[in-house]
Amino acid sequence: MLFLTIFYMPTSFQNISASAVVGLIYVSLFSMLIGFFFWYKGLAQGGIAAISQLQLLQPLMGLAIAAALLHEHVSWSMLVVTAATLLCVAAAKKFA
């Protein structure tokens, strides 16, 4: 990753907007740092096997939120993959 970082690093940071920097800070702090505290607390409370299966539902929730709030187009292939994921989660819960 260090090689790719150096390779794609811009020659000047003056062209990077303030909103891009704020977005990077937000994702770094909340999604990647603070979010892990809640994730590990949930794993400890609900059990690793049960909660990790629920993590597989995250793409479904992301797809639903993108469609509802951002009016993103949801294709049939997206729905088929989502349904297959739901079936796998349900089967793993049932046969565990």
Side-chain angles (χ1 to χ4, degrees):
M1 292 303 297
L2 180 62
F3 172 75
L4 292 175
T5 301
I6 293 170
F7 183 75
Y8 285 108
M9 187 169 61
T11 56
S12 172
F13 291 102
Q14 293 176 350
N15 294 333
I16 299 175
S17 67
S19 63
V21 172
V22 170
L24 177 64
I25 291 170
Y26 172 80
V27 168
S28 299
L29 286 178
F30 292 100
S31 244
M32 299 304 296
L33 180 64
I34 296 172
F36 278 115
F37 289 108
F38 293 107
W39 170 246
Y40 288 124
K41 180 72 171 176
L43 283 175
Q45 287 180 342
I48 292 173
I51 301 300
S52 64
Q53 291 291 321
L54 290 176
Q55 180 66 27
L56 295 174
L57 299 178
Q58 184 177 1
L60 166 68
M61 299 306 293
L63 183 65
I65 291 170
L69 297 180
L70 303 175
H71 306 291
E72 292 284 333
H73 173 72
V74 178
S75 67
W76 284 105
S77 61
M78 292 177 184
L79 292 175
V80 168
V81 170
T82 301
T85 303
L86 287 174
L87 288 173
C88 289
V89 170
K93 288 271 194 198
K94 182 178 180 178
F95 297 114

